[in-house]
Coordinates of all heavy atoms in Angstrom, one line a residue:
M1 N 39.0 -80.5 17.3 CA 39.4 -81.7 16.6 C 40.8 -81.4 16.0 O 41.1 -80.4 15.3 CB 38.5 -81.9 15.4 CG 38.8 -83.2 14.6 SD 37.6 -83.4 13.4 CE 38.2 -84.7 12.5
L2 N 41.8 -82.3 16.4 CA 43.2 -82.1 15.9 C 43.3 -82.8 14.6 O 42.9 -83.9 14.4 CB 44.0 -82.9 16.9 CG 45.5 -82.7 16.7 CD1 46.0 -81.3 16.7 CD2 46.3 -83.5 17.7
T3 N 43.9 -82.1 13.6 CA 44.1 -82.6 12.3 C 45.5 -82.9 12.1 O 46.4 -82.3 12.8 CB 43.6 -81.6 11.2 OG1 44.3 -80.5 11.3 CG2 42.0 -81.4 11.4
T4 N 45.8 -83.7 11.1 CA 47.2 -84.0 10.7 C 47.6 -83.6 9.3 O 48.7 -83.8 8.9 CB 47.4 -85.5 10.8 OG1 46.5 -86.2 10.0 CG2 47.2 -86.0 12.3
S5 N 46.6 -82.9 8.7 CA 46.9 -82.3 7.4 C 45.9 -81.3 7.0 O 44.8 -81.2 7.6 CB 47.1 -83.4 6.3 OG 45.7 -83.9 6.0
L6 N 46.2 -80.4 6.1 CA 45.3 -79.5 5.6 C 44.3 -80.2 4.7 O 44.5 -81.2 4.1 CB 45.9 -78.5 4.6 CG 47.0 -77.5 5.3 CD1 47.8 -76.8 4.3 CD2 46.3 -76.7 6.2
P7 N 43.1 -79.6 4.6 CA 42.0 -80.2 3.7 C 42.7 -80.2 2.2 O 43.6 -79.4 2.0 CB 40.9 -79.3 3.7 CG 41.1 -78.5 4.9 CD 42.5 -78.5 5.3
H8 N 42.1 -81.0 1.4 CA 42.7 -81.1 0.0 C 42.6 -79.6 -0.6 O 41.6 -78.8 -0.2 CB 41.9 -82.0 -0.9 CG 42.4 -82.2 -2.2 ND1 42.0 -81.4 -3.3 CD2 43.3 -83.1 -2.7 CE1 42.7 -81.7 -4.3 NE2 43.5 -82.8 -4.0
R9 N 43.4 -79.3 -1.5 CA 43.5 -77.9 -1.9 C 42.2 -77.4 -2.7 O 41.9 -76.4 -2.8 CB 44.8 -77.8 -2.9 CG 44.7 -78.7 -4.1 CD 46.0 -78.7 -4.9 NE 45.9 -79.4 -6.1 CZ 45.7 -78.9 -7.2 NH1 45.6 -77.6 -7.4 NH2 45.6 -79.7 -8.3
D10 N 41.5 -78.5 -3.2 CA 40.2 -78.1 -3.8 C 39.0 -78.0 -2.8 O 37.9 -77.7 -3.2 CB 39.9 -79.0 -4.9 CG 40.9 -79.0 -6.1 OD1 41.4 -78.0 -6.3 OD2 41.1 -80.1 -6.7
D11 N 39.2 -78.4 -1.5 CA 38.2 -78.3 -0.5 C 37.7 -76.9 -0.4 O 38.6 -76.1 -0.1 CB 38.7 -79.0 0.7 CG 37.7 -79.2 1.8 OD1 37.2 -78.1 2.3 OD2 37.4 -80.3 2.2
P12 N 36.5 -76.6 -0.1 CA 36.0 -75.2 0.2 C 36.6 -74.7 1.5 O 36.8 -73.5 1.6 CB 34.5 -75.4 0.1 CG 34.2 -76.6 -0.4 CD 35.4 -77.6 -0.3
G13 N 37.0 -75.5 2.4 CA 37.6 -75.1 3.6 C 39.1 -75.0 3.7 O 39.7 -74.7 4.7
F14 N 39.8 -75.2 2.5 CA 41.2 -75.1 2.5 C 41.7 -73.8 2.9 O 42.5 -73.8 3.8 CB 41.7 -75.5 1.1 CG 43.2 -75.1 0.9 CD1 44.0 -76.1 1.4 CD2 43.6 -73.9 0.3 CE1 45.5 -75.8 1.4 CE2 44.9 -73.7 0.2 CZ 45.9 -74.7 0.8
R15 N 41.2 -72.7 2.3 CA 41.7 -71.3 2.7 C 41.7 -71.1 4.2 O 42.7 -70.6 4.8 CB 41.0 -70.3 1.9 CG 41.3 -70.4 0.4 CD 40.5 -69.3 -0.4 NE 40.4 -69.6 -1.7 CZ 41.4 -69.3 -2.7 NH1 42.5 -68.8 -2.3 NH2 41.1 -69.5 -4.0
Q16 N 40.5 -71.3 4.7 CA 40.3 -71.0 6.2 C 41.1 -71.9 7.0 O 41.8 -71.5 8.0 CB 38.9 -71.1 6.5 CG 38.6 -70.9 8.1 CD 37.1 -71.1 8.3 OE1 36.3 -71.4 7.5 NE2 36.8 -70.9 9.5
A17 N 41.4 -73.2 6.6 CA 42.1 -74.2 7.4 C 43.7 -73.7 7.4 O 44.4 -73.8 8.3 CB 42.0 -75.6 6.9
L18 N 44.1 -73.2 6.2 CA 45.5 -72.9 6.1 C 45.8 -71.7 7.0 O 46.8 -71.8 7.7 CB 45.8 -72.5 4.5 CG 47.2 -71.9 4.3 CD1 48.3 -72.9 4.7 CD2 47.4 -71.5 2.9
K19 N 45.0 -70.7 6.9 CA 45.1 -69.6 7.8 C 45.1 -69.9 9.3 O 46.0 -69.5 10.0 CB 44.1 -68.5 7.5 CG 44.3 -67.3 8.3 CD 43.3 -66.1 7.9 CE 43.6 -64.9 8.7 NZ 42.7 -63.8 8.3
A20 N 44.1 -70.7 9.6 CA 43.9 -71.1 11.0 C 45.1 -71.8 11.6 O 45.7 -71.7 12.6 CB 42.7 -71.8 11.2
T21 N 45.6 -72.8 10.7 CA 46.7 -73.7 11.1 C 48.0 -72.8 11.2 O 48.8 -72.9 12.2 CB 46.8 -74.8 10.2 OG1 45.6 -75.5 10.1 CG2 48.0 -75.7 10.6
R22 N 48.2 -72.0 10.3 CA 49.4 -71.1 10.2 C 49.4 -70.2 11.5 O 50.4 -70.2 12.2 CB 49.4 -70.2 9.0 CG 50.5 -69.2 9.0 CD 50.4 -68.2 7.8 NE 49.2 -67.5 7.7 CZ 48.9 -66.4 8.4 NH1 49.7 -66.0 9.4 NH2 47.8 -65.7 8.3
E23 N 48.2 -69.6 11.9 CA 48.2 -68.7 13.0 C 48.3 -69.6 14.3 O 49.0 -69.1 15.2 CB 46.9 -68.0 13.0 CG 46.8 -66.9 12.0 CD 45.5 -66.2 11.9 OE1 44.4 -66.7 12.4 OE2 45.4 -65.1 11.3
A24 N 47.8 -70.7 14.3 CA 47.9 -71.6 15.5 C 49.3 -72.0 15.8 O 49.8 -72.2 16.9 CB 47.0 -72.8 15.3
R25 N 50.2 -72.1 14.6 CA 51.5 -72.5 14.8 C 52.5 -71.2 15.0 O 53.7 -71.4 15.1 CB 52.0 -73.2 13.5 CG 51.3 -74.4 13.1 CD 51.7 -75.6 14.0 NE 51.2 -76.8 13.5 CZ 50.0 -77.4 13.8 NH1 49.1 -76.7 14.6 NH2 49.6 -78.6 13.3
G26 N 51.8 -70.1 15.1 CA 52.5 -68.8 15.4 C 53.4 -68.4 14.3 O 54.4 -67.7 14.5
L27 N 53.0 -68.7 13.0 CA 53.8 -68.4 11.8 C 53.1 -67.1 11.1 O 52.0 -67.1 10.8 CB 53.8 -69.5 10.8 CG 54.6 -70.8 11.2 CD1 54.5 -71.9 10.4 CD2 56.1 -70.4 11.5
S28 N 54.0 -66.2 10.6 CA 53.4 -65.2 9.7 C 53.4 -65.8 8.3 O 53.8 -66.9 8.0 CB 54.5 -64.0 9.6 OG 55.6 -64.5 9.0
Q29 N 52.6 -65.1 7.4 CA 52.6 -65.6 6.0 C 54.0 -65.7 5.4 O 54.4 -66.7 4.8 CB 51.8 -64.7 5.2 CG 50.2 -64.7 5.6 CD 49.4 -63.7 4.7 OE1 49.9 -62.8 4.1 NE2 48.1 -63.9 4.7
Y30 N 54.8 -64.7 5.7 CA 56.2 -64.7 5.2 C 57.0 -65.9 5.8 O 57.7 -66.6 5.0 CB 56.9 -63.4 5.7 CG 58.3 -63.2 5.3 CD1 58.7 -62.7 4.0 CD2 59.3 -63.6 6.1 CE1 59.9 -62.7 3.6 CE2 60.7 -63.5 5.8 CZ 61.0 -63.1 4.5 OH 62.3 -62.9 4.1
A31 N 57.0 -66.2 7.1 CA 57.6 -67.3 7.7 C 57.3 -68.6 7.0 O 58.0 -69.5 6.8 CB 57.4 -67.3 9.2
L32 N 55.9 -68.8 6.9 CA 55.3 -70.1 6.3 C 56.0 -70.2 4.9 O 56.4 -71.4 4.5 CB 53.8 -70.1 6.3 CG 53.3 -71.3 5.7 CD1 53.8 -72.7 6.2 CD2 51.7 -71.3 5.8
A33 N 55.8 -69.2 4.1 CA 56.4 -69.2 2.7 C 57.8 -69.5 2.6 O 58.3 -70.5 1.9 CB 56.1 -67.9 2.0
K34 N 58.6 -68.9 3.5 CA 60.0 -69.2 3.5 C 60.4 -70.6 3.9 O 61.1 -71.3 3.4 CB 60.8 -68.2 4.5 CG 60.8 -66.9 4.0 CD 61.5 -66.6 2.6 CE 63.0 -66.5 2.8 NZ 63.6 -66.2 1.5
A35 N 59.6 -71.1 4.9 CA 59.9 -72.5 5.4 C 59.4 -73.5 4.4 O 60.1 -74.6 4.3 CB 59.0 -72.8 6.7
A36 N 58.4 -73.2 3.6 CA 57.9 -74.1 2.5 C 58.7 -73.8 1.2 O 58.4 -74.6 0.2 CB 56.4 -73.9 2.3
R37 N 59.5 -72.9 1.2 CA 60.4 -72.6 0.0 C 59.5 -72.2 -1.2 O 59.7 -72.8 -2.3 CB 61.4 -73.7 -0.3 CG 62.4 -73.8 0.8 CD 63.4 -74.9 0.6 NE 64.3 -75.0 1.6 CZ 65.3 -75.7 1.7 NH1 65.7 -76.4 0.6 NH2 66.1 -75.8 2.8
I38 N 58.5 -71.3 -1.0 CA 57.7 -70.8 -2.1 C 57.8 -69.3 -2.0 O 58.2 -68.7 -1.0 CB 56.3 -71.3 -2.0 CG1 55.6 -70.9 -0.7 CG2 56.2 -72.9 -2.1 CD1 54.1 -71.2 -0.6
A39 N 57.3 -68.6 -3.0 CA 57.3 -67.2 -3.1 C 56.5 -66.7 -1.9 O 55.4 -67.2 -1.6 CB 56.7 -66.7 -4.4
T40 N 57.0 -65.6 -1.3 CA 56.4 -65.1 -0.1 C 55.0 -64.5 -0.3 O 54.3 -64.4 0.7 CB 57.4 -64.0 0.5 OG1 57.6 -63.0 -0.4 CG2 58.7 -64.7 1.0
V41 N 54.7 -64.1 -1.5 CA 53.4 -63.4 -1.8 C 52.3 -64.6 -1.8 O 51.1 -64.2 -1.8 CB 53.3 -62.6 -3.0 CG1 54.3 -61.6 -3.0 CG2 53.6 -63.5 -4.2
M42 N 52.6 -65.8 -1.9 CA 51.6 -66.9 -2.3 C 50.8 -67.3 -1.1 O 49.6 -67.6 -1.3 CB 52.4 -68.1 -2.8 CG 53.1 -68.0 -4.1 SD 52.2 -67.2 -5.4 CE 50.9 -68.3 -5.8
I43 N 51.2 -67.1 0.1 CA 50.3 -67.5 1.3 C 49.1 -66.6 1.2 O 48.0 -67.0 1.4 CB 51.1 -67.5 2.6 CG1 52.3 -68.5 2.5 CG2 50.1 -67.8 3.7 CD1 52.0 -69.8 2.2
A44 N 49.3 -65.3 1.0 CA 48.1 -64.4 1.0 C 47.2 -64.7 -0.1 O 46.0 -64.7 0.0 CB 48.7 -62.9 0.8
R45 N 47.7 -65.2 -1.3 CA 46.9 -65.6 -2.4 C 46.2 -66.8 -2.2 O 45.0 -67.0 -2.6 CB 47.7 -65.8 -3.7 CG 48.4 -64.4 -4.1 CD 49.3 -64.6 -5.2 NE 49.9 -63.3 -5.7 CZ 50.7 -63.1 -6.7 NH1 51.0 -64.2 -7.5 NH2 51.2 -62.0 -7.0
Y46 N 46.8 -67.8 -1.4 CA 46.0 -68.9 -1.0 C 44.9 -68.8 0.1 O 43.9 -69.4 0.0 CB 47.0 -70.0 -0.5 CG 48.1 -70.5 -1.4 CD1 49.3 -70.9 -0.9 CD2 48.0 -70.4 -2.8 CE1 50.4 -71.3 -1.8 CE2 48.9 -70.8 -3.7 CZ 50.2 -71.3 -3.1 OH 51.2 -71.6 -4.0
E47 N 45.3 -67.8 1.0 CA 44.3 -67.7 2.2 C 43.1 -66.8 1.9 O 42.1 -67.1 2.4 CB 45.1 -67.1 3.3 CG 46.0 -68.0 4.0 CD 46.7 -67.4 5.3 OE1 46.6 -66.3 5.4 OE2 47.5 -68.2 5.9
N48 N 43.3 -65.9 1.0 CA 42.3 -65.0 0.7 C 41.6 -65.0 -0.6 O 42.2 -64.6 -1.6 CB 42.7 -63.5 0.9 CG 41.8 -62.4 0.8 OD1 40.6 -62.7 0.5 ND2 42.2 -61.2 1.1
E49 N 40.4 -65.6 -0.7 CA 39.8 -65.8 -2.1 C 39.4 -64.4 -2.7 O 39.3 -64.4 -3.9 CB 38.5 -66.6 -1.8 CG 37.4 -66.0 -1.1 CD 36.2 -66.9 -0.9 OE1 35.8 -67.5 -1.9 OE2 35.8 -67.1 0.2
H50 N 39.4 -63.4 -2.0 CA 39.1 -62.1 -2.5 C 40.4 -61.3 -2.9 O 40.3 -60.2 -3.4 CB 38.3 -61.2 -1.5 CG 37.0 -61.9 -1.1 ND1 36.0 -62.2 -2.0 CD2 36.7 -62.5 0.1 CE1 35.0 -62.8 -1.4 NE2 35.4 -62.9 -0.1
H51 N 41.5 -61.9 -2.8 CA 42.8 -61.3 -3.2 C 42.8 -61.1 -4.7 O 42.2 -61.9 -5.4 CB 44.0 -62.2 -2.8 CG 45.3 -61.6 -3.0 ND1 45.9 -61.4 -4.2 CD2 46.1 -61.2 -2.0 CE1 47.1 -60.9 -4.1 NE2 47.3 -60.8 -2.8
A52 N 43.3 -60.0 -5.2 CA 43.3 -59.7 -6.7 C 43.9 -60.9 -7.5 O 43.5 -61.1 -8.6 CB 44.1 -58.5 -7.0
Y53 N 44.9 -61.6 -6.9 CA 45.5 -62.7 -7.6 C 45.3 -64.1 -6.9 O 46.2 -64.9 -6.7 CB 47.0 -62.5 -7.7 CG 47.2 -61.3 -8.5 CD1 47.6 -60.1 -8.0 CD2 47.1 -61.2 -10.0 CE1 47.9 -58.9 -8.8 CE2 47.3 -60.1 -10.7 CZ 47.7 -59.0 -10.1 OH 47.9 -57.9 -10.8
A54 N 44.1 -64.2 -6.3 CA 43.8 -65.5 -5.5 C 44.0 -66.7 -6.4 O 43.6 -66.7 -7.5 CB 42.4 -65.4 -4.9
T55 N 44.6 -67.7 -5.8 CA 44.8 -68.9 -6.5 C 44.9 -70.1 -5.4 O 44.7 -69.8 -4.2 CB 46.1 -68.9 -7.3 OG1 46.2 -70.0 -8.1 CG2 47.4 -68.8 -6.4
L56 N 45.1 -71.3 -5.9 CA 45.2 -72.4 -5.0 C 46.5 -73.1 -5.3 O 46.9 -73.0 -6.4 CB 44.0 -73.4 -5.1 CG 42.7 -72.9 -4.6 CD1 41.6 -73.8 -5.0 CD2 42.7 -72.7 -3.1
P57 N 47.2 -73.7 -4.3 CA 48.4 -74.3 -4.6 C 48.3 -75.5 -5.4 O 47.3 -76.2 -5.4 CB 49.0 -74.6 -3.1 CG 47.7 -74.9 -2.3 CD 46.8 -73.9 -2.9
G58 N 49.4 -75.8 -6.1 CA 49.5 -77.0 -6.9 C 49.7 -78.2 -5.9 O 49.9 -78.0 -4.6
T59 N 49.7 -79.4 -6.3 CA 49.9 -80.6 -5.4 C 51.2 -80.6 -4.7 O 51.3 -80.8 -3.5 CB 49.7 -81.9 -6.2 OG1 48.3 -81.8 -6.9 CG2 49.8 -83.1 -5.3
A60 N 52.3 -80.2 -5.4 CA 53.6 -80.2 -4.9 C 53.7 -79.1 -3.7 O 54.2 -79.3 -2.6 CB 54.7 -80.0 -5.8
T61 N 53.2 -78.0 -3.9 CA 53.1 -76.9 -2.9 C 52.2 -77.3 -1.8 O 52.5 -77.0 -0.6 CB 52.7 -75.6 -3.5 OG1 53.6 -75.2 -4.6 CG2 52.6 -74.4 -2.5
W62 N 51.0 -77.9 -2.1 CA 50.1 -78.4 -1.0 C 50.9 -79.3 -0.1 O 50.8 -79.2 1.1 CB 48.9 -78.9 -1.6 CG 47.9 -79.5 -0.6 CD1 47.0 -78.7 0.1 CD2 47.8 -80.8 -0.1 NE1 46.2 -79.6 1.0 CE2 46.8 -80.9 0.8 CE3 48.5 -81.9 -0.3 CZ2 46.4 -82.1 1.6 CZ3 48.2 -83.2 0.4 CH2 47.1 -83.2 1.3
T63 N 51.7 -80.2 -0.6 CA 52.5 -81.1 0.2 C 53.5 -80.3 1.0 O 53.7 -80.7 2.2 CB 53.2 -82.1 -0.8 OG1 52.1 -82.9 -1.5 CG2 54.1 -83.2 0.0
K64 N 54.2 -79.4 0.4 CA 55.2 -78.6 1.2 C 54.6 -77.9 2.3 O 55.1 -77.9 3.5 CB 55.9 -77.6 0.2 CG 56.8 -78.1 -0.8 CD 57.3 -76.9 -1.6 CE 58.2 -77.4 -2.7 NZ 58.7 -76.2 -3.5
L65 N 53.4 -77.3 2.2 CA 52.7 -76.6 3.2 C 52.4 -77.6 4.4 O 52.5 -77.3 5.6 CB 51.4 -76.0 2.7 CG 51.6 -74.8 1.8 CD1 50.3 -74.3 1.1 CD2 52.2 -73.6 2.5
N66 N 51.9 -78.8 4.0 CA 51.6 -79.8 5.0 C 52.9 -80.3 5.7 O 52.9 -80.5 7.0 CB 50.9 -81.0 4.3 CG 49.5 -80.8 4.3 OD1 48.8 -80.9 5.3 ND2 49.0 -80.6 3.0
D67 N 54.0 -80.4 5.0 CA 55.2 -80.8 5.7 C 55.7 -79.8 6.7 O 56.0 -80.1 7.8 CB 56.4 -80.9 4.6 CG 56.1 -82.2 3.8 OD1 55.3 -83.0 4.1 OD2 56.8 -82.3 2.6
V68 N 55.5 -78.5 6.4 CA 55.9 -77.5 7.3 C 54.9 -77.4 8.5 O 55.4 -77.3 9.6 CB 55.9 -76.1 6.6 CG1 56.2 -74.9 7.6 CG2 57.0 -76.1 5.6
L69 N 53.7 -77.4 8.2 CA 52.6 -77.2 9.3 C 52.4 -78.5 10.1 O 52.1 -78.4 11.3 CB 51.3 -76.8 8.7 CG 51.3 -75.3 8.0 CD1 50.1 -75.1 7.2 CD2 51.6 -74.3 9.1
F70 N 52.6 -79.7 9.6 CA 52.3 -80.8 10.3 C 53.5 -81.9 10.4 O 53.3 -82.9 10.9 CB 51.1 -81.6 9.7 CG 49.9 -80.8 9.7 CD1 49.4 -80.0 8.5 CD2 49.1 -80.7 10.8 CE1 48.3 -79.3 8.6 CE2 47.9 -79.9 10.8 CZ 47.5 -79.2 9.7
G71 N 54.6 -81.5 9.9 CA 55.8 -82.4 10.0 C 56.1 -82.5 11.4 O 55.7 -82.0 12.4
A72 N 57.2 -83.3 11.6 CA 57.7 -83.7 12.9 C 58.3 -82.3 13.5 O 59.0 -81.6 12.8 CB 58.8 -84.7 12.8
P73 N 58.0 -82.1 14.8 CA 58.5 -80.9 15.4 C 60.0 -81.0 15.5 O 60.6 -82.0 15.6 CB 57.9 -80.9 16.8 CG 57.4 -82.3 17.0 CD 57.2 -83.0 15.7
P74 N 60.7 -79.8 15.5 CA 62.2 -79.9 15.5 C 62.6 -80.5 16.9 O 61.8 -80.3 17.9 CB 62.6 -78.4 15.5 CG 61.4 -77.6 15.7 CD 60.2 -78.5 15.5
P75 N 63.7 -81.1 17.0 CA 64.1 -81.6 18.3 C 64.2 -80.5 19.3 O 64.7 -79.4 19.0 CB 65.5 -82.3 18.0 CG 65.8 -82.0 16.6 CD 64.7 -81.2 16.0
A76 N 63.8 -80.7 20.6 CA 63.8 -79.8 21.6 C 65.3 -79.7 22.2 O 66.0 -80.7 22.4 CB 62.8 -80.1 22.7
G77 N 65.7 -78.5 22.4 CA 66.9 -78.2 23.1 C 68.1 -78.7 22.4 O 69.1 -79.3 22.9
V78 N 68.2 -78.5 21.0 CA 69.4 -78.9 20.3 C 70.5 -78.1 20.7 O 70.5 -76.8 20.7 CB 69.2 -78.7 18.8 CG1 70.4 -78.9 18.0 CG2 68.0 -79.6 18.3
A79 N 71.5 -78.7 21.3 CA 72.7 -78.0 21.8 C 73.7 -77.8 20.6 O 74.2 -78.7 20.0 CB 73.4 -78.8 22.8
L80 N 73.9 -76.5 20.2 CA 74.8 -76.2 19.2 C 76.2 -75.8 19.6 O 77.0 -75.5 18.9 CB 74.2 -75.1 18.3 CG 72.9 -75.5 17.6 CD1 72.4 -74.4 16.7 CD2 73.1 -76.7 16.7
D81 N 76.3 -75.7 21.0 CA 77.6 -75.2 21.5 C 78.7 -76.1 21.2 O 80.0 -75.7 21.1 CB 77.5 -75.0 23.0 CG 77.0 -76.1 23.8 OD1 76.4 -77.0 23.2 OD2 77.3 -76.2 25.1
N82 N 78.5 -77.4 21.0 CA 79.6 -78.4 20.6 C 79.5 -78.8 19.2 O 80.2 -79.7 18.8 CB 79.6 -79.6 21.5 CG 79.9 -79.3 23.0 OD1 80.7 -78.4 23.2 ND2 79.2 -79.9 24.0
A83 N 78.6 -78.2 18.4 CA 78.4 -78.6 17.0 C 79.5 -78.0 16.1 O 80.0 -76.9 16.4 CB 77.1 -78.1 16.5
T84 N 79.9 -78.7 15.1 CA 80.8 -78.2 14.2 C 80.1 -77.1 13.3 O 78.9 -77.1 13.2 CB 81.3 -79.3 13.2 OG1 80.3 -79.8 12.4 CG2 81.9 -80.5 14.0
T85 N 80.9 -76.3 12.6 CA 80.4 -75.4 11.7 C 79.5 -76.0 10.6 O 78.4 -75.5 10.3 CB 81.5 -74.6 11.0 OG1 82.3 -74.0 12.0 CG2 81.0 -73.5 10.1
E86 N 80.0 -77.2 10.1 CA 79.2 -77.9 9.0 C 77.8 -78.3 9.6 O 76.8 -78.2 8.9 CB 80.0 -79.1 8.6 CG 79.3 -79.8 7.5 CD 80.1 -81.0 6.9 OE1 81.4 -81.1 7.2 OE2 79.6 -81.7 6.1
E87 N 77.8 -78.9 10.8 CA 76.5 -79.3 11.5 C 75.5 -78.1 11.6 O 74.4 -78.2 11.5 CB 76.8 -79.9 12.8 CG 77.5 -81.2 12.7 CD 78.0 -81.8 14.0 OE1 78.3 -81.0 14.9 OE2 78.0 -83.1 14.2
I88 N 76.1 -77.0 12.1 CA 75.2 -75.7 12.2 C 74.7 -75.3 10.9 O 73.5 -75.0 10.8 CB 76.1 -74.7 12.9 CG1 76.4 -75.0 14.3 CG2 75.3 -73.3 12.9 CD1 77.3 -74.1 15.0
I89 N 75.6 -75.3 9.8 CA 75.0 -74.9 8.5 C 74.1 -75.8 8.0 O 73.0 -75.5 7.5 CB 76.3 -74.8 7.5 CG1 77.1 -73.5 8.0 CG2 75.8 -74.6 6.1 CD1 78.4 -73.5 7.2
N90 N 74.2 -77.1 8.1 CA 73.2 -78.1 7.7 C 72.0 -78.0 8.4 O 70.8 -78.1 7.9 CB 73.7 -79.6 7.9 CG 74.8 -79.9 6.9 OD1 74.9 -79.3 5.8 ND2 75.7 -80.8 7.1
E91 N 72.0 -77.7 9.8 CA 70.7 -77.5 10.6 C 70.0 -76.2 10.0 O 68.8 -76.2 9.9 CB 71.1 -77.4 12.0 CG 69.8 -77.0 12.9 CD 68.8 -78.1 12.9 OE1 69.1 -79.3 12.5 OE2 67.7 -77.8 13.3
L92 N 70.7 -75.1 9.8 CA 70.1 -73.9 9.2 C 69.4 -74.1 7.9 O 68.4 -73.7 7.6 CB 71.2 -72.8 9.1 CG 71.7 -72.3 10.5 CD1 72.9 -71.3 10.3 CD2 70.5 -71.6 11.2
K93 N 70.2 -75.0 7.0 CA 69.6 -75.2 5.7 C 68.3 -76.1 5.9 O 67.3 -75.9 5.2 CB 70.6 -76.0 4.8 CG 71.7 -75.2 4.3 CD 72.7 -76.0 3.4 CE 73.7 -75.2 2.9 NZ 74.7 -76.0 2.2
R94 N 68.3 -77.0 6.8 CA 67.2 -77.9 7.2 C 66.0 -77.0 7.5 O 64.8 -77.3 7.2 CB 67.5 -79.0 8.2 CG 66.3 -80.0 8.4 CD 66.6 -80.9 9.7 NE 66.5 -80.1 10.8 CZ 65.4 -79.7 11.4 NH1 64.2 -80.0 10.9 NH2 65.4 -79.0 12.6
R95 N 66.3 -76.0 8.2 CA 65.2 -75.1 8.7 C 64.8 -74.1 7.6 O 63.9 -73.2 7.9 CB 65.7 -74.4 10.0 CG 65.9 -75.3 11.1 CD 66.3 -74.6 12.4 NE 66.6 -75.4 13.4 CZ 66.8 -75.0 14.7 NH1 66.7 -73.8 15.0 NH2 67.1 -75.9 15.6
G96 N 65.4 -74.1 6.5 CA 65.0 -73.2 5.4 C 65.9 -72.1 5.0 O 65.6 -71.3 4.2
A97 N 67.0 -72.0 5.7 CA 68.0 -70.8 5.3 C 68.4 -71.2 3.9 O 68.8 -72.2 3.5 CB 69.1 -70.9 6.3
T98 N 68.5 -70.1 3.1 CA 69.1 -70.2 1.8 C 70.5 -69.7 1.7 O 71.2 -70.0 0.8 CB 68.2 -69.4 0.7 OG1 68.0 -68.1 1.2 CG2 66.9 -70.0 0.7
T99 N 70.9 -68.8 2.6 CA 72.3 -68.3 2.7 C 72.6 -68.3 4.1 O 71.8 -68.1 5.0 CB 72.4 -66.9 2.0 OG1 71.6 -66.0 2.8 CG2 72.0 -66.9 0.6
V100 N 74.0 -68.5 4.3 CA 74.5 -68.5 5.7 C 75.9 -67.7 5.6 O 76.7 -68.0 4.7 CB 74.7 -69.8 6.2 CG1 75.4 -69.8 7.6 CG2 73.5 -70.7 6.3
A101 N 76.0 -66.6 6.4 CA 77.3 -65.9 6.4 C 77.8 -66.0 7.9 O 77.1 -65.8 8.9 CB 77.0 -64.5 6.1
I102 N 79.1 -66.5 8.0 CA 79.8 -66.7 9.2 C 80.9 -65.8 9.2 O 81.8 -65.8 8.4 CB 80.1 -68.1 9.5 CG1 78.9 -69.0 9.4 CG2 80.9 -68.3 10.8 CD1 79.2 -70.5 9.5
T103 N 81.0 -64.9 10.2 CA 82.2 -64.0 10.5 C 82.7 -64.2 11.9 O 81.9 -64.3 12.8 CB 81.9 -62.6 10.1 OG1 80.8 -62.2 11.0 CG2 81.5 -62.4 8.7
W104 N 84.0 -64.1 12.1 CA 84.6 -64.2 13.4 C 85.9 -63.6 13.4 O 86.6 -63.3 12.4 CB 84.6 -65.5 14.1 CG 85.4 -66.5 13.4 CD1 86.7 -66.8 13.6 CD2 84.9 -67.6 12.5 NE1 87.1 -67.8 12.8 CE2 86.0 -68.4 12.2 CE3 83.7 -67.9 12.0 CZ2 85.9 -69.4 11.3 CZ3 83.6 -69.0 11.2 CH2 84.7 -69.7 10.8

């Protein structure tokens, strides 16, 4: 069954669904956290109820996770060879980059 969002954060199946969806998308815990712009340790805390610091995300974070996991896919074949430096930087920021260094 194809879903379009994670179960509600209070749903007993939330942790398992988060992990299964993350893995199905080919994302590491670190990559998901960076893309959602949350602390990198939090995904492990959300997925594993036996984690020493297990917790559930707040509503805003739950929304961020859904946006990353179920948002519109990035455009296929974006040609950056003719893009301006500003366009490239904006695309990297959109994808979650927090810093960009350009040298030439």
Side-chain angles (χ1 to χ4, degrees):
M1 178 177 174
L2 186 62
T3 62
T4 57
S5 70
L6 294 169
H8 188 271
R9 62 193 187 95
D10 295 328
D11 187 295
F14 170 78
R15 294 179 195 278
Q16 182 180 359
L18 175 61
K19 182 176 182 177
T21 304
R22 174 184 59 76
E23 290 175 343
R25 301 287 191 270
L27 295 170
S28 66
Q29 290 179 343
Y30 178 85
L32 176 55
K34 292 301 276 183
R37 297 182 180 187
I38 61 175
T40 56
V41 300
M42 296 311 293
I43 303 302
R45 294 178 183 182
Y46 299 152
E47 288 181 354
N48 185 354
E49 68 183 310
H50 302 295
H51 189 287
Y53 299 102
T55 188
L56 291 169
T59 303
T61 301
W62 180 85
T63 300
K64 289 179 185 181
L65 293 169
N66 275 290
D67 289 347
V68 171
L69 294 170
F70 298 98
V78 174
L80 296 179
D81 54 339
N82 293 323
T84 66
T85 303
E86 184 177 347
E87 290 170 330
I88 293 169
I89 291 170
N90 287 336
E91 177 63 16
L92 292 171
K93 286 180 180 178
R94 186 190 69 76
R95 295 182 187 191
T98 56
T99 60
V100 177
I102 300 174
T103 58
W104 62 85

